[in-house]
Amino acid sequence: MPPPLHVAFLAGPEGSWRIDAIRAIAGPSLPEAPRLAVAEGPPAPAAGDCAWVLRATTSNMRYTYHAEAAALRARQESLSRPQATRAVLIPIRKTEAWWAMAQDERRAIMEEQSRHIGIGLDYLPAIARRLHHGRELGEPFDFLTWFEFAPEHEAAFDELLARLRATPEWDHVDREVEVRLTREG
Amino acid sequence: MPPPLHVAFLAGPEGSWRIDAIRAIAGPSLPEAPRLAVAEGPPAPAAGDCAWVLRATTSNMRYTYHAEAAALRARQESLSRPQATRAVLIPIRKTEAWWAMAQDERRAIMEEQSRHIGIGLDYLPAIARRLHHGRELGEPFDFLTWFEFAPEHEAAFDELLARLRATPEWDHVDREVEVRLTREG
């Protein structure tokens, strides 16, 4: 568990990921752009020719219990596997009502009712994932989740998304965008 | 529950709080300075003559359960009461081992073993309190807790601190500084 890592996602003319599609799932979309660069490390000013920049940081586990963390660790793989040439960035904002709930209420919706952690486990190790938090940075999205997988696992990834979006937890999502990417560099 | 509020604590020649004492409890202290200003809102660059600046944001509840939140709401008072002319700023950093623990492990140490929330309740409404999170901002402290109380409650505040510092949770604190203040402006 390294200290929080600041990550900027820069959409514009450059970057090692080609943007294949940007789709609004809830609320407004993000502007179109040809490529995405992912910059890790201390925040730097964005180049002036970016269509958009989203920033967030990795963090500690907020909901995951000990046994769940052990199950995840046993199966999950890291980012940047050579065969994982597809990625999807999913920025999400949750409602103010969600954030006003106590910790046990949010955990109950997320896992006991929605099985968010459990559903994710079903797609390991094919789908690698890193969660970033933006809410305390004053960003427009509370979460930026980055997924990576090989092309042959795209159908499994689509199923994962459909299952999560059908859960009670998603009643508390008020903005969601899906950015589909292919590595080219 | 308003959205996260960015707060900067600026120690230097100006500010409405007089710094009465700065004391290191664990790890290195902070430099001496005569006054402290508290700036709420979007981050601004610090004036060049500050001895130190600490930044953090308010956030959602991370550990508090529904019944505990209701008990707190029923008894706690807000900041800036006219009679609350004493304040204490306590910057704290926890160990990497703490942050590597799963959510249920940290909650168990904090409340089931240490009664952190329960101890705080014992001192309401006399001691008002606001917690700020700095870890995801890349700050040297994970938490900045701001306490306000009337001079006649200083002994109660000292007791609160002594009880918290004697808990198992404090085994996971690796830096702590105590900044005592009096309002003068």
Side-chain angles (χ1 to χ4, degrees):
Chain A
M1 174 75 46
L5 175 69
H6 189 284
V7 184
F9 297 90
L10 304 103
E14 290 174 19
S16 53
W17 295 91
R18 183 186 76 216
I19 297 180
D20 296 321
I22 299 180
R23 188 159 74 103
I25 307 300
S29 193
L30 288 164
E32 296 294 325
R35 303 190 76 85
L36 186 83
V38 182
E40 300 183 351
D49 52 1
C50 281
W52 45 267
V53 180
L54 297 175
R55 301 175 185 278
T57 71
T58 61
S59 187
N60 56 291
M61 290 173 277
R62 303 281 174 93
Y63 297 100
T64 310
Y65 287 174
H66 180 77
E68 294 158 349
L72 289 166
R73 267 196 307 273
R75 297 192 59 190
Q76 72 195 353
E77 294 200 357
S78 57
L79 299 184
S80 304
R81 294 169 293 176
Q83 74 275 23
T85 57
R86 296 288 168 82
V88 180
L89 174 68
I90 304 203
I92 279 186
R93 187 181 64 206
K94 283 185 169 165
T95 62
E96 290 307 308
W98 170 265
W99 292 113
M101 280 190 265
Q103 178 69 22
D104 57 336
E105 297 175 290
R106 282 180 275 106
R107 159 77 197 191
I109 293 170
M110 192 216 180
E111 193 58 22
E112 281 71 29
Q113 296 175 32
S114 300
R115 288 198 65 246
H116 187 137
I117 299 164
I119 290 172
L121 264 171
D122 289 345
Y123 298 88
L124 297 181
I127 315 288
R129 169 188 170 283
R130 190 167 71 188
L131 176 63
H132 313 80
H133 299 258
R135 184 167 166 82
E136 278 70 39
L137 304 186
E139 284 285 309
F141 295 98
D142 298 331
F143 303 102
L144 305 176
T145 313
W146 177 262
F147 300 91
E148 281 182 9
F149 46 86
E152 64 266 30
H153 293 126
E154 187 143 24
F157 176 74
D158 290 340
E159 182 186 278
L160 161 65
L161 279 191
R163 288 178 65 190
L164 285 173
R165 288 176 181 155
T167 62
E169 184 186 352
W170 252 251
D171 295 343
H172 303 275
V173 169
D174 77 353
R175 188 175 176 196
E176 179 175 9
V177 182
E178 187 183 295
V179 183
R180 301 252 174 178
L181 305 137
T182 298
R183 188 162 56 205
E184 278 189 343
Chain B
M1 175 73 50
L5 176 70
H6 189 284
V7 183
F9 298 89
L10 304 102
E14 289 173 22
S16 52
W17 295 91
R18 183 186 74 215
I19 297 179
D20 296 322
I22 298 180
R23 188 159 76 102
I25 306 299
S29 193
L30 288 164
E32 295 296 325
R35 303 189 77 84
L36 185 83
V38 182
E40 299 185 351
D49 52 3
C50 280
W52 45 267
V53 180
L54 297 176
R55 301 175 185 278
T57 72
T58 61
S59 187
N60 57 291
M61 289 171 276
R62 304 283 173 92
Y63 297 99
T64 310
Y65 287 173
H66 180 76
E68 294 157 351
L72 289 165
R73 267 196 308 272
R75 297 191 58 188
Q76 72 196 354
E77 294 199 358
S78 57
L79 299 183
S80 304
R81 292 169 294 175
Q83 74 275 24
T85 57
R86 296 288 169 82
V88 180
L89 174 67
I90 304 202
I92 279 186
R93 188 181 64 206
K94 283 183 168 167
T95 62
E96 290 307 307
W98 169 265
W99 292 113
M101 280 190 263
Q103 178 68 24
D104 56 336
E105 297 174 291
R106 280 179 278 106
R107 159 80 198 187
I109 293 170
M110 190 215 180
E111 191 57 23
E112 281 71 29
Q113 296 175 34
S114 300
R115 287 198 65 249
H116 187 138
I117 299 164
I119 290 172
L121 264 171
D122 289 346
Y123 299 88
L124 298 181
I127 315 290
R129 169 187 170 285
R130 190 166 73 187
L131 176 63
H132 313 80
H133 299 259
R135 185 167 166 81
E136 277 71 39
L137 304 186
E139 284 285 309
F141 293 97
D142 298 333
F143 304 102
L144 305 176
T145 312
W146 176 263
F147 299 91
E148 281 182 11
F149 46 85
E152 64 265 31
H153 293 126
E154 187 143 21
F157 177 75
D158 290 341
E159 182 187 280
L160 162 64
L161 280 190
R163 287 177 65 190
L164 286 172
R165 288 175 181 156
T167 63
E169 184 186 351
W170 251 251
D171 294 344
H172 303 275
V173 169
D174 77 353
R175 187 175 177 197
E176 179 175 7
V177 182
E178 188 182 294
V179 183
R180 301 253 174 178
L181 305 138
T182 298
R183 189 161 57 203
E184 279 188 346

